[in-house]
Amino acid sequence: MLVDSHCHLDRLDLTAHDGSLDAALQAARQRGVGHFLCIGVSADNAAAVKALADSHDDVDCSVGVHPLDLEPGAEPALGWLVGELAHPRVVAIGETGLDYHYEPEAAQLQQQSFRLHLEAARITGKPVVIHTRAARLDTLALLREADLPQAGVLHCFTEDWEMARSALDMGYYISLSGIVTFRNAEALREVARQVPADRLLVETDSPYLAPIPHRGKPNLPEYVRDVAEFLAQLRGVGFDELAAQTTANFQRLFPLARVRKASATP
């Protein structure tokens, strides 16, 4: 089976499923997706992702504040974050990290928040879900500074092999999304070929970044199968092998997630 290791279920465009999240999840299950990690991006949506995890046996969630959701003077408090992480279905921290592509002027605020999330990871022992864009050196520097005993994941990875290798050397995992299928993503495909099998995850980041052949449409969790099929062919392995490996990797990285056998076969 497959795991969609990063999706925003509270933000999906459900037009294709008559507005029903349950129908969208069932469509994914029918394509062999057996578990979903619903990602928190702000204090405002923490309650929503926890409610989704509470109401679906095959959904777990994370809580955190995305670097592009920060507001000066309203950055998250460590006490609030640690308190949110105590919820039994919150299995990870984030997404957090740095994004200088859109908001380079907020670098200091983003770094402050990233450090806070990494400290929460140290306190709770839960893995961290990292967003990084146009901030390679600072992202790696803060991860080295934190020197966490447990791993995390660089999600929706779009950087080069040098950054991937540095993160891998620190124990982190690499998660690939539909971007790897895009025509102009050859450099990322080279990274995808080299990531060790036991450190690879797959995701949709839905509702964003739908893979080919769905590019231009709202992304959905069911499309994680398209990402996995593409990666299996790219890496020269069978689909079943890649699905089993990435699911095992997810379970290793997120040991609190309640991953079960898929309810439907592909």
Side-chain angles (χ1 to χ4, degrees):
M1 77 172 198
L2 287 166
V3 174
D4 186 351
S5 68
H6 193 110
C7 51
H8 301 275
L9 300 181
D10 58 320
R11 297 186 170 193
L12 296 184
D13 182 332
L14 298 169
T15 304
H17 294 289
D18 297 324
S20 170
L21 176 61
D22 286 340
L25 293 177
Q26 185 58 25
R29 295 177 190 121
Q30 288 173 346
R31 297 195 75 197
V33 186
H35 204 80
F36 311 85
L37 183 58
C38 182
I39 302 297
V41 295
S42 69
D44 291 339
N45 90 320
V49 297
K50 290 188 295 183
L52 284 168
D54 281 337
S55 59
H56 297 84
D57 289 343
D58 51 4
V59 176
D60 284 300
C61 69
S62 69
V63 169
V65 180
H66 191 287
L68 298 180
D69 280 87
L70 295 167
E71 296 181 11
E75 57 270 18
L78 183 60
W80 169 82
L81 186 54
V82 171
E84 291 291 315
L85 293 170
H87 189 283
R89 300 305 295 266
V90 178
V91 302
I93 301 166
E95 60 184 290
T96 181
L98 305 174
D99 191 318
Y100 299 168
H101 177 78
Y102 286 110
E103 295 185 2
E105 72 281 0
Q108 184 174 357
L109 177 63
Q110 291 183 19
Q111 290 174 25
Q112 179 181 345
S113 176
F114 194 14
R115 283 192 172 98
L116 181 146
H117 284 77
L118 293 172
E119 180 59 24
R122 180 184 307 282
I123 292 170
T124 64
K126 293 186 176 182
V128 61
V129 178
I130 298 162
H131 171 103
T132 178
R133 189 172 185 190
R136 299 177 186 179
L137 294 180
D138 285 352
T139 297
L140 292 172
L142 290 180
L143 292 180
R144 292 190 185 100
E145 175 188 290
D147 192 24
L148 294 175
Q150 78 277 8
V153 58
L154 275 62
H155 103 91
C156 194
F157 192 81
T158 57
E159 304 292 346
D160 60 13
W161 172 243
E162 182 178 355
M163 182 179 188
R165 182 171 57 188
S166 296
L168 290 163
D169 287 346
M170 287 187 278
Y172 287 82
Y173 290 61
I174 301 294
S175 181
L176 296 172
S177 70
I179 293 176
V180 75
T181 71
F182 294 178
R183 291 191 191 94
N184 62 350
E186 186 51 46
L188 180 58
R189 284 189 280 276
E190 186 55 38
V191 173
R193 293 183 185 99
Q194 296 187 67
V195 175
D198 64 350
R199 298 288 193 84
L200 180 65
L201 298 180
V202 290
E203 64 172 270
T204 58
D205 202 12
S206 52
Y208 317 107
L209 306 169
I212 291 173
H214 311 287
R215 192 173 184 187
K217 302 177 182 178
N219 203 0
L220 291 164
E222 65 197 80
Y223 298 158
V224 74
R225 183 176 180 105
D226 297 275
V227 177
E229 288 177 342
F230 183 91
L231 284 172
Q233 184 174 17
L234 181 70
R235 291 169 64 92
V237 300
F239 168 77
D240 288 345
E241 178 181 341
L242 186 132
Q245 179 70 69
T246 54
T247 296
N249 296 345
F250 180 89
Q251 291 176 295
R252 188 184 321 112
L253 178 59
F254 302 106
L256 297 178
R258 305 186 201 183
V259 181
R260 300 181 179 180
K261 186 177 180 181
S263 58
T265 56

